[in-house]
Amino acid sequence: MKILVVDGQGGGIGKSIIEALRAVGVKDEIYACGTNAAASANMHKAGADHSATGENAIVCNARTADVITGPIGVVMSDALLGEITPSMAQALASSKAVRVLVPLNKCNTIIVGVSSSTLSQNIAEAAEKIKSLCKPEG
């Protein structure tokens, strides 16, 4: 299974997602695609098997991913302080992959019903959901 983690800015949320996936025992290949080199590098250091940077990397990897994860803004044009281009958002939102997105109330988007959970709790929940989507080894 191909898990695609997408993040921007410093890659902190993507890094935390990758660490959480590895902590719950996900052995599947993780591809980290950052909107910039810093995000890609931080996600790679966190345990991603592969990493790439930029719009084309995100668009190409969205085509072949089984699971896409990252902050919810990755499917919204101009999110992450403008780092998500319309092409990135469209590729991620229209991919046949299952999307497991971490909710955040930022960038003038309010996700109702998530205010009682912390970012760490949401990331842990996302990791568990992705683990349940992975096929058991053997």
Side-chain angles (χ1 to χ4, degrees), residues 18 28 30 44 50-51 57 72 77 103 112 118:
I18 293 166
D28 297 69
I30 297 175
H44 191 80
H50 312 279
S51 62
I72 195 165
S77 294
V112 178
T118 66

Side-chain angles (χ1 to χ4, degrees), residues 56-71:
N56 198 55
I58 291 170
V59 170
C60 289
N61 281 285
R63 288 186 208 128
T64 57
D66 297 302
V67 174
I68 293 171
T69 188

Side-chain angles (χ1 to χ4, degrees), residues 2 31 39 68 74-76 80 88 97 101 112 132:
K2 179 178 180 176
Y31 288 70
I68 293 171
V74 300
V75 296
M76 296 177 206
L80 281 71
M88 290 176 189
L101 303 172
V112 178
S132 76

Side-chain angles (χ1 to χ4, degrees), residues 78-100:
D78 301 328
L80 281 71
L81 298 176
E83 291 188 16
I84 301 298
T85 68
S87 295
M88 290 176 189
Q90 181 180 12
L92 295 166
S94 63
S95 173
K96 293 183 187 213
V98 174
R99 282 166 295 285
V100 181

